[in-house]
Amino acid sequence: YFGTSILTDLDSFQEVVVKIERPTYNKPFLGGFRNMLTGVEFHNAGSQTKPKRRPDKGIQLFCKETQTIVTKNKLQQSRNTTSTQMTKIGLYVSNMTDKLISPGKYFTAEEYHKRRLEAVVVLQKYFRRWYAKRLVQKLTEQKRLRLAWEAQEELWKKTEREEKIRREYERKLNPKTKEDFELLYHDLALWMQEETERINQTLTGAERKTALCALLEEETELIACFGMHKLNANVENQQKAILHLLGKCAQPRRWKAYDGKITEMDTQNTLRGKELLEIYRSICTKDIPKDERTAVLLTLKCTVKEHECKLTQEIVALIDREVDLMSREVKESNLEGLRQRICTLFLQYVKIPEFNPEVAGLLKVPQDPYKLYKNIYFCHSCENYLPSSEFPIPANSRTIGRCRSCYQLDNEARRREAYFKYRLILENLRKAEADYQDDAKIVFLVQLPDMQYMIENIWNCQSVLSACSDLYDLVMVRWDKQHEWSPWNTILLTKEEADAHLKLCNLQKAYEATFIDRIKQKHIRAKNYFAEIPVMSSFLHRSNNQANANYYKKHSSLK
């Protein structure tokens, strides 16, 4: 605020107060002039009144300016200066290299587009030809690879089949296990059946009886030969079992670390087991020099002298006797009985937990006599008391029955059936179910006789799809892989068919309705067979409840 006086009349002034408002914006420069003599600049003044604002219409407005092109002319000088020389009076220019250019035929826009379309058609034709040749080459290569794969698969199957036949022939030629002797007795039964049928069809009267008697004598000789092989195999298997037992005693403690590495640690007991294992191997070795044999016997003597008992005293006495006989140049053949006795007594020494603590958890017969009263059953066939693990109990059995040895003896004498193929199918099935890791239980309740009944009576020993009857190529898998395996949720297929079946997501779309009905009928037969088993009944009721729930859920969704 400041005061000023204004002239109101000729001689009177009036003091007024002037309010100055500082502008909130810069005033535009309106120009001015300068006094040429004094050099004083004078600016044009504008109104100090605040401009009136336009009313806000609620619409965002933008300013738009018109851009006008600015043109200018500028001369340019080309880099190459050229000139054209024409013939004139006094100058001759040759026209031998000149070209005569004449205008071509004029064509319309329609003709131009037509020519372009024809060119495009030609390009498409050549491209499609190239693409078709490339596609045919690709299909040809795929066919070649497919045929090569099929030939390789066929060769692999043929090689595997030949190797299987060779292994089976080798097993029959040199039987060592129970399964090998099962195959021998099974082949003997088949041969006897064929020979009996041939004799009955070709001979009659006294000739028939003579041929049957000769056949019986030949069968007796073969059974005696099988018995000799079995005795030799038992001796060899017994020695392997002893070495396997001592090897377990010598194994170090093993555990898996967090990073996946296996850590091993030897304890005093495992080191003791290793020492006893090496001594046993040394005393069982034959055809070694006398000085090495003497050193082994001295090591054994020092080892058993650590514990004073009747057994160790007897071992020491036998060692002294053998050393004395070797010093007298006794033949090796005359010392075999003595050496065998030393091995037997040392084996008894090794099986005592006081001398070999690691063997305590590996013995079949517990050291505590009170544990013998648990899970011990009486076999009415051989009249022996045996643990429960020695009795093969089928799933539908209500009594203990006979032990494994009696079953095997009865099979060799009467039925002579080979369970190896059924056992192989059951083992593969249990391994496959263990890989699912969904707490499968039913497959471990099914025993070998149950598996044999299912394969022979329900599935007719053949694949449902290809009717392949080679049990070596057949496997049992889940019918519906979303549920646990059971006799009413299974299917018998070859290995290739099983792999393809397990990749299916919808069984209703993959198989025809008639085929599914056939499978359901076989499942019903399996349910009727296992429904009488108390252990299986709970699983059967659970599967029925689940099936009913799925049925109601499906129909409710359709409604």
Side-chain angles (χ1 to χ4, degrees), residues 255-263:
W255 65 87
K256 193 174 184 179
Y258 67 94
D259 55 354
K261 296 182 179 179
I262 302 297
T263 305

Side-chain angles (χ1 to χ4, degrees), residues 271-287:
L271 293 176
R272 175 68 174 178
K274 286 183 179 180
E275 180 184 359
L276 297 177
L277 174 61
E278 293 298 328
I279 294 175
Y280 183 80
R281 284 178 177 173
S282 299
I283 63 175
C284 291
T285 306
K286 298 181 180 180
D287 300 330

Side-chain angles (χ1 to χ4, degrees), residues 186-196 215 218-219 222:
H186 181 66
D187 291 348
L188 177 61
L190 295 178
W191 176 75
M192 284 291 297
Q193 183 179 358
E194 293 177 359
E195 290 296 319
T196 303
L215 180 63
E218 193 171 355
E219 181 187 9
L222 289 175

